[in-house]
Structure formats: C-alpha cells, structure tokens
Amino acid sequence: MHVTPILLFTLLSTGCSSKSPDVMTGSSYDTGSEDGSVDATIDSGIQDTGIFVQPVWWRLSAGLLLQDGSPTLKDSILLVELLGDGSELLCVQELTLEGVESLEPPSELVMGWWELTPVLTEQLCGVYETPLPETIRIGIGAMHSEILAVIGSTDAVDDPTALNAAYASILDDGPLFVYGVAGTPEAYEGLGEVVVEAPIPDGIWQLKPIYQFSY
C-alpha cells in the first residue's frame, strides 16, 4: 500500500483533527535500557545484490531527547529510509544533528515545532542522493482521524491510544504535512495520556512514519 503525507490544509478542510534515542528500523522500536539510554546502532539487514534500484519513496523517523522543550544535539537523531517502487527497503541511513532551533508552531494543531540541521552525507548508504534539504522542520501535535484510519491497515502501531501526531515541512517555506505518529516509548505501549497542549513534556520522543514521501 502506497500512502503519501497529507497536506495540513486538506486536513483542516475535512474538520481534522550519552547515547542517542533509538528510532525504528522497519516497523519496530527498541525502547532502550532501564537507565534510559538507548543503543542507536542500526542493522539495516539489506542484501547488496550489485544492482542499482532507483528509490521511489522515502520515510522519515526521529528519536528526539527533549530538554527544556527542545531536542538536544547530542542525543537526537533522524532516520531516513529509501524504498523502491514496491516499497522494498533499499537503504537505511541514520543522521546525527548539528543544529536545532525552536520555532513558533505553524498551526494551532502543532504543539512543538523545531528546525533541525542534520549532518548530511554526500550519499545515503554510499549510493543514493539524499531527499533531505539542509534543514528540515518537524513537530509534534494533535492526532488526526486520517492518521488513525491508516494505522488500522498497517503494522506500524499496536495501540495509538496515547500517541500524538508527527508533522513535517520539508522546505522552510513549504507546505505542512501530518505524516505519522509521535510518542514516548511508554506511549507506544498504550500507557500515559495524549499531550493536548504545549509545551511537549521533556524526555525521549519517537516520531514514526505512517505515510511516506515521494522521492
């Protein structure tokens, strides 16, 4: 199933709605060790066949450690996954951050909004051009009915009860998308409550894609 991110204005018109934190590889999360630290090492499990396959889709995940309402540079990461035409996984690339800035949310639906500057590599997995610009804006906000509807047809989330939605703007002046879910490790287990007003509580937050972007 191909699902692409939904523009925020479309949602509004329908009456919407010292280790790095780990982010998902495929459809599962590692919630880390008991002391709160998480091993961010990723094994993509991808076989190198020597045949180049052009990506068609890409997914964005994030593991953010929020302190004083903002992601920390040292303990936050982005994860980019490139997929082929049949949604086969071609590349998994972890990116650390070299810049973080808290911004005014672009919508009343968004309760935490940040501009992240990843440490970009010339190529992802040594082969592919990155779909990311120099900076990307991501956030956490209100859940939306369209996200909840898609969750039911994927294996991404078992229990969305305590989850918020993940938002992104790929370009500084680009459109705002709601593309996935966001929560603490406990929230992915259905524990706790949805955040309904700013600020987003400090701690480890995992942003996980439900929709994928066109490459």
Side-chain angles (χ1 to χ4, degrees), residues 55-215:
V56 176
W57 312 96
W58 68 280
R59 292 192 296 235
L60 177 67
S61 304
L64 307 177
L65 177 60
L66 299 187
Q67 291 184 351
D68 298 326
S70 182
T72 64
L73 281 178
K74 182 180 179 182
D75 298 311
S76 299
I77 59 173
L78 296 177
L79 190 76
V80 176
E81 297 174 283
L82 305 183
L83 302 96
D85 185 47
S87 292
E88 67 273 22
L89 188 60
L90 304 177
C91 169
V92 179
Q93 181 75 57
E94 177 186 313
L95 300 172
T96 57
L97 304 179
E98 62 179 6
V100 173
E101 181 180 358
S102 295
L103 302 176
E104 186 71 21
S107 164
E108 63 182 8
L109 297 177
V110 182
M111 292 170 278
W113 188 241
W114 309 282
E115 182 176 83
L116 307 182
T117 304
V119 179
L120 293 178
T121 60
E122 292 185 3
Q123 295 178 317
L124 300 185
C125 300
V127 178
Y128 304 101
E129 292 186 7
T130 178
L132 289 180
E134 291 184 1
T135 63
I136 184 170
R137 297 180 179 186
I138 65 174
I140 299 170
M143 182 53 77
H144 185 268
S145 58
E146 293 293 338
I147 295 291
L148 291 174
V150 176
I151 286 176
S153 59
T154 71
D155 61 355
V157 177
D158 293 328
D159 186 349
T161 304
L163 295 176
N164 285 77
Y167 293 79
S169 182
I170 307 304
L171 302 175
D172 290 352
D173 298 322
L176 177 64
F177 297 96
V178 57
Y179 77 97
V181 292
T184 63
E186 293 78 15
Y188 280 95
E189 298 177 358
L191 305 177
E193 298 181 355
V194 173
V195 178
V196 297
E197 61 182 6
I200 301 296
D202 287 349
I204 293 176
W205 283 80
Q206 299 167 334
L207 280 65
K208 185 173 183 177
I210 299 298
Y211 292 92
Q212 54 202 26
F213 295 92
S214 179
Y215 181 76

Side-chain angles (χ1 to χ4, degrees), residues 43-51 53 89-91 128:
D43 180 5
S44 67
I46 301 172
Q47 296 291 328
D48 183 4
T49 63
I51 301 174
V53 178
L89 188 60
L90 304 177
C91 169
Y128 304 101

Side-chain angles (χ1 to χ4, degrees), residues 19-25 28-32 37-42 62-64 75 77 79 94 185 204-207:
K19 292 183 180 179
S20 300
D22 196 14
V23 294
M24 70 95 184
T25 301
S28 62
Y29 274 99
D30 179 357
T31 57
S37 63
V38 184
D39 184 3
T41 302
I42 297 171
L64 307 177
D75 298 311
I77 59 173
L79 190 76
E94 177 186 313
I204 293 176
W205 283 80
Q206 299 167 334
L207 280 65

